[in-house]
């Protein structure tokens, strides 16, 4: 009860309490934010679980890609133009696949950074992962290590080779998921929706893919983009001579598969993959992880590793190889300047 003669106003009490809270917050703000940071950074994610989830996401996205094509409901649009002026296509296949893949991962690990090529905030999917680990993953990956959630960046390409998808060149089409830890690619999944095959790898633990037994370097058969080639032909001829066989193909995922022992009879065989125009990390991270897991390399044209954290763009070109001296290949390439118009 208030002492005689003093009347407490409810408004005054509320203001007093708020001031009190403000003083406490001011004194303890650092402590509170540290506690929150400690709570979030303590979360860890198991990489074998994440590999199985990545495979499931790529397969579910792939089903959408296939269905939209079979029902002929592409509703093709243009997103804009690449730096070189080519039109960047977007279809219902890209968008439906994005929704399946993105939300399956986000609904399972909401606190992990997921960067997709496509965006659609208005149509959330409710799908959750059933936590099944496929038998081939259980067989080759024992346990898998746990990594802090805040060290992970996931890159997803819901439909790679959209240009070829619109042209009905379906063997080039893939869906891809990549997991980078501290910027290094550690999980790569490349799924082919139209044949149903999935290539996966967890660096240091295993893969369902393997390199071919031989690669020819005198001169190599070089696989390149068919729709974003830039000046790649001259670049390759300067490096390996005018008789070099250049194989134009769609899709960054497909071109990495062409360097390996083929998953299916659709895939051509190449010795080296070179790209000279701008490209994004969701196009190349999964292939980089697969190659790294199998002892190969994917670097810029100067031979530098690509950091898969931060911004999406890579303007330094791409050189991918396996079972050969990669730095020796770098040394054969002409001088490279990303500011040149390639
Ligand atoms: N110059 C460029 N600018 C932007 N994206 C590029 C590019 N060159 C290639 N890409 C992207 O890289 C992927 C493989 O390209 P390509 O078939 O020409 O080798 C395609 O991905 P998407 O189909 O996922 O958009 C394509 O859009
Ligand atoms: Mg792509
Ligand atoms: Mg794409
Ligand atoms: Mg695209």
């Amino acid at each position: 009860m208030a002492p005689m003669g003093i009347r407490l106003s409810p408004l005054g009490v509320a203001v007093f309490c708020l001031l009190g809270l403000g003083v406490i917050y001011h004194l303890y703000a650092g402590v509170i934010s540290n506690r929150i940071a400690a709570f979030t950074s303590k979360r860890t994610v198991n990489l074998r679980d994440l590999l199985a989830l990545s495979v499931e996401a790529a397969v579910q996205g792939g089903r959408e890609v296939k269905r939209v094509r079979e029902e002929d409901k592409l509703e093709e649009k243009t997103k804009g133009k690449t730096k070189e002026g080519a039109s960047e296509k977007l279809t219902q296949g890209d968008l439906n696949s994005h929704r399946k893949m993105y939300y399956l991962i986000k609904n399972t690990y909401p606190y992990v950074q997921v960067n997709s090529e496509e965006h659609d905030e208005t149509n959330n999917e409710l799908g959750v992962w059933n936590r099944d680990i496929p038998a081939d993953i259980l067989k080759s990956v024992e346990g898998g290590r746990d990594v802090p959630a805040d060290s992970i960046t996931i890159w997803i390409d819901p439909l790679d080779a959209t240009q070829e998808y619109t042209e009905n060149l379906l063997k080039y089409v893939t869906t891809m998921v990549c997991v980078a830890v501290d910027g290094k690619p550690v999980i790569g999944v490349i799924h082919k929706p139209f044949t149903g095959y999935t290539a996966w790898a967890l660096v240091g633990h295993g893969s369902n893919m393997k390199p071919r037994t031989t690669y020819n370097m005198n001169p190599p058969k070089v696989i390149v983009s068919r729709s974003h080639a830039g000046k790649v032909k001259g670049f390759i001829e300067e490096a390996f001579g005018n008789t070099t066989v250049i194989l134009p193909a769609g899709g960054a995922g497909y071109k990495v598969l062409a360097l390996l022992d083929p998953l299916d009879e659709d895939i051509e065989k190449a010795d080296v993959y070179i790209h000279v125009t701008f490209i994004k990390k969701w196009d190349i991270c999964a292939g980089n992880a697969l190659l790294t897991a199998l002892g190969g390399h994917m670097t810029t044209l100067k031979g530098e590793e690509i950091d898969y954290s931060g911004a999406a763009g890579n303007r330094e070109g791409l050189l991918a190889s396996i079972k050969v001296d990669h730095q020796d290949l770098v040394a054969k390439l002409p001088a490279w300047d990303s500011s040149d118009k390639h």
Side-chain angles (χ1 to χ4, degrees):
M1 210 169 92
M4 290 259 291
I6 301 175
R7 299 181 70 197
L8 291 178
S9 124
L11 185 65
V13 172
V15 169
F16 183 79
C17 288
L18 275 177
L19 275 174
L21 279 176
V23 170
I24 291 170
Y25 179 74
H26 183 73
L27 289 174
Y28 291 100
V31 177
I32 294 167
S33 62
N34 274 347
R35 281 281 156 83
I36 293 170
F39 178 66
T40 47
S41 66
K42 243 198 287 175
R43 289 173 197 251
T44 58
V45 177
N46 179 273
L47 288 181
R48 186 176 69 180
D49 288 351
L50 208 42
L51 169 61
L53 172 62
S54 302
V55 168
E56 182 61 21
V59 169
Q60 286 196 18
R63 265 184 220 132
E64 293 300 310
V65 168
K66 189 159 179 266
R67 190 174 57 77
V68 168
R69 182 70 258 185
E70 283 169 356
E71 292 174 4
D72 207 7
K73 291 188 175 144
L74 270 64
E75 296 176 35
E76 187 181 323
K77 295 185 185 70
T78 299
K79 280 197 281 190
K81 289 212 183 305
T82 66
K83 289 184 193 306
E84 299 79 24
S87 121
E88 276 199 90
K89 301 235 167 104
L90 176 68
T91 69
Q92 281 304 313
D94 298 78
L95 283 177
N96 289 4
S97 174
H98 159 77
R99 283 197 288 271
K100 283 282 175 213
M101 296 176 72
Y102 181 83
Y103 288 108
L104 187 68
I105 298 172
K106 266 289 178 192
N107 292 347
T108 309
Y109 298 115
Y111 39 84
V112 166
Q113 175 71 35
V114 184
N115 299 334
S116 173
E117 179 184 354
E118 313 305 345
H119 297 274
D120 183 1
E121 278 80 28
T122 52
N123 285 298
N124 297 11
E125 286 269 339
L126 298 174
V128 275
W129 182 40
N130 58 15
R131 304 202 71 87
D132 281 353
I133 314 268
D136 60 342
I137 293 181
L138 277 177
K139 211 170 125 203
S140 13
V141 183
E142 263 181 43
R145 78 193 152 97
D146 291 340
V147 297
D150 59 7
S151 66
I152 296 174
T153 314
I154 301 184
W155 298 92
I156 62 182
D157 190 341
L159 198 171
D160 188 48
T162 303
Q163 175 62 43
E164 286 70 22
Y165 182 66
T166 65
E167 295 177 46
N168 222 4
L169 298 170
L170 303 179
K171 72 172 186 180
Y172 297 128
V173 172
T174 63
T175 59
M176 295 195 278
V177 181
C178 180
V179 176
V181 176
D182 294 326
K184 293 192 175 56
V186 299
I187 289 173
V189 174
I190 304 180
H191 172 69
K192 291 191 75 198
F194 295 95
T195 59
Y197 287 100
T198 308
W200 60 260
L202 171 54
V203 174
H205 290 266
S207 173
N208 65 342
M209 299 296 287
K210 53 185 189 326
R212 299 200 302 273
T213 41
T214 54
Y215 291 86
N216 188 7
M217 286 297 134
N218 297 308
K221 190 190 244 188
V222 187
I223 197 160
V224 302
S225 167
R226 65 182 280 282
S227 48
H228 305 85
K231 294 179 180 166
V232 75
K233 188 169 183 287
F235 187 81
I236 290 168
E237 287 179 349
E238 208 179 320
F240 306 110
N242 293 347
T243 59
T244 314
V245 179
I246 298 177
L247 189 64
Y254 176 89
K255 287 192 271 290
V256 168
L257 295 179
L259 301 181
L260 304 176
D261 201 24
L263 261 181
D264 59 49
E265 54 291 342
D266 260 3
I267 301 175
E268 294 140 295
K269 291 186 188 127
D271 301 307
V272 174
Y273 168 22
I274 291 182
H275 192 81
V276 298
T277 63
F278 188 70
I279 198 156
K280 307 279 182 65
K281 290 176 186 170
W282 43 72
D283 295 310
I284 57 178
C285 182
N288 197 337
L290 263 156
L291 285 168
T292 305
L294 300 175
H297 298 272
M298 180 184 276
T299 64
T300 67
L301 292 168
K302 286 185 176 151
E304 290 151 353
E305 298 295 332
I306 298 159
D307 181 334
Y308 291 97
S309 55
N314 169 51
R315 55 187 73 251
E316 304 301 323
L318 211 64
L319 173 69
S321 75
I322 187 160
K323 270 200 164 176
V324 294
D325 185 336
H326 190 81
Q327 289 305 326
D328 195 45
L329 277 180
V330 173
K332 289 201 169 89
L333 300 180
W336 167 256
D337 180 356
S338 60
S339 60
D340 281 0
K341 274 218 148 270
H342 282 279

